[in-house]
């Protein structure tokens, strides 16, 4: 899949927003990628997840897992493309965990997926879960890598598209200094100050 086609999909799906946003990581940015919109339309999710699955077709993947809630549909579609099972991790009392009788077998080759990566916090938590349950993290697959390829999970990382989107701490944010209204578009319960 070409970068041009990926950008066309992101534009068509209304994924890329501009303004002053509070990211899940707590950082601020003038761009926000609402990747959940990709999964509203199966033609987009199927195309993007197929492109990602193709990158891992020879990696011996036996299970796909993603963090709830953003990667539940993605985990399903990537696993469907690979012909393997999928599960998801979710937060319980603020900690990422496996619930719903989901299991990871000892030695099982697991692909961790996420719709968008900025700091990689949720991905790292899921990697820890896989390892705690005896699984082998075969790689990390993301639709959008916001770091421009500058993140390292210690395992192979593949993205459908890598974009270097600048983000700031609240203290260094030029958008805050300019008095622009801060918006929290994501799904976590973070307070806007």
């Amino acid at each position: 899949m070409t970068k041009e086609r990926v950008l066309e999909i992101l534009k068509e799906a209304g994924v890329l927003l501009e303004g002053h946003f509070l990211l899940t990581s707590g950082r601020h940015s003038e761009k926000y990628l609402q990747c959940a919109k990709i999964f509203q339309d199966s033609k987009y999710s199927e195309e993007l997840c197929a492109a990602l699955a193709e990158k891992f077709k020879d990696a011996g993947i036996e299970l796909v897992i993603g963090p709830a809630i953003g990667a539940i549909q993605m985990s399903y579609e990537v696993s469907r493309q690979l012909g393997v099972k999928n599960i998801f991790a979710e937060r319980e009392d603020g900690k990422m965990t496996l619930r719903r009788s989901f299991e990871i077998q000892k030695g099982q080759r697991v692909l961790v997926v996420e719709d968008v990566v900025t700091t990689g916090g949720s991905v790292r938590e899921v990697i820890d879960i896989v390892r705690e349950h005896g699984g082998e993290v075969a790689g990390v697959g993301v639709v959008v890598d916001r770091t421009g390829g500058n993140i390292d999970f210690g395992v192979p990382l593949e993205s459908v598209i890598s974009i270097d989107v600048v983000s700031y701490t609240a203290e260094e944010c030029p958008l805050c200094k300019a008095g622009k209204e801060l918006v929290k578009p994501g799904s976590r319960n973070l307070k806007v100050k």
Side-chain angles (χ1 to χ4, degrees), residues 19-88:
H20 182 197
F21 303 104
L22 177 62
L23 306 176
T24 301
S25 64
R27 295 179 65 83
H28 296 201
S29 181
E30 61 192 357
K31 293 190 186 329
Y32 184 81
L33 293 144
Q34 184 55 276
C35 287
K37 287 187 172 188
I38 292 167
F39 299 99
Q40 289 180 324
D41 192 325
S42 60
K43 71 179 182 186
Y44 298 139
S45 58
E46 184 174 352
E47 189 174 351
L48 292 171
C49 290
L52 189 59
E54 178 68 21
K55 295 173 186 270
F56 289 97
K57 70 177 183 179
D58 297 324
I61 304 300
E62 298 172 291
L63 180 72
V64 177
I65 184 173
I69 192 164
I72 292 175
Q73 290 171 293
M74 181 184 174
S75 178
Y76 167 80
E77 184 58 31
V78 171
S79 75
R80 190 181 75 79
Q81 296 286 337
L82 291 170
V84 300
K85 289 185 177 182
N86 75 92
I87 60 175
F88 58 87

Side-chain angles (χ1 to χ4, degrees), residues 124-140:
R124 285 186 176 87
E125 289 180 82
V126 175
I127 286 172
D128 289 345
I129 288 169
V130 171
R131 290 178 175 153
E132 287 167 11
H133 286 82
E136 178 187 339
V137 180
V140 172

Side-chain angles (χ1 to χ4, degrees), residues 2-193:
T2 65
K3 184 173 184 175
E4 291 74 25
R5 176 59 185 146
V6 177
L7 291 172
E8 181 182 339
I9 290 172
L10 297 182
K11 184 178 178 184
E12 285 177 18
V15 170
L16 184 58
L17 306 175
E18 294 188 356
H20 182 197
F21 303 104
L22 177 62
L23 306 176
T24 301
S25 64
R27 295 179 65 83
H28 296 201
S29 181
E30 61 192 357
K31 293 190 186 329
Y32 184 81
L33 293 144
Q34 184 55 276
C35 287
K37 287 187 172 188
I38 292 167
F39 299 99
Q40 289 180 324
D41 192 325
S42 60
K43 71 179 182 186
Y44 298 139
S45 58
E46 184 174 352
E47 189 174 351
L48 292 171
C49 290
L52 189 59
E54 178 68 21
K55 295 173 186 270
F56 289 97
K57 70 177 183 179
D58 297 324
I61 304 300
E62 298 172 291
L63 180 72
V64 177
I65 184 173
I69 192 164
I72 292 175
Q73 290 171 293
M74 181 184 174
S75 178
Y76 167 80
E77 184 58 31
V78 171
S79 75
R80 190 181 75 79
Q81 296 286 337
L82 291 170
V84 300
K85 289 185 177 182
N86 75 92
I87 60 175
F88 58 87
E90 58 192 305
R91 292 197 184 282
E92 185 174 53
D93 299 323
K95 182 177 178 352
M96 197 68 77
T97 188
L98 287 185
R99 297 179 59 201
R100 306 173 196 276
S101 300
F102 288 151
E103 295 179 350
I104 297 170
Q105 303 299 316
K106 186 172 182 171
Q108 194 169 31
R109 290 185 55 76
V110 181
L111 176 62
V112 176
V113 297
E114 178 67 294
D115 56 353
V116 61
V117 170
T118 302
T119 62
S122 294
V123 169
R124 285 186 176 87
E125 289 180 82
V126 175
I127 286 172
D128 289 345
I129 288 169
V130 171
R131 290 178 175 153
E132 287 167 11
H133 286 82
E136 178 187 339
V137 180
V140 172
V142 300
V143 173
V144 179
D145 172 6
R146 284 180 49 119
T147 73
N150 294 315
I151 195 158
D152 183 6
F153 295 110
V155 297
L157 169 68
E158 294 286 351
S159 64
V160 179
I161 191 166
S162 182
I163 304 171
D164 193 6
V165 179
V166 178
S167 67
Y168 311 94
T169 64
E171 299 76 30
E172 67 184 12
C173 180
L175 303 164
C176 286
K177 292 175 184 168
K180 295 198 179 215
E181 182 181 358
L182 182 63
V183 177
K184 181 184 71 69
S187 60
R188 285 216 202 144
N189 188 19
L190 296 177
K191 295 180 182 173
V192 179
K193 294 179 183 178

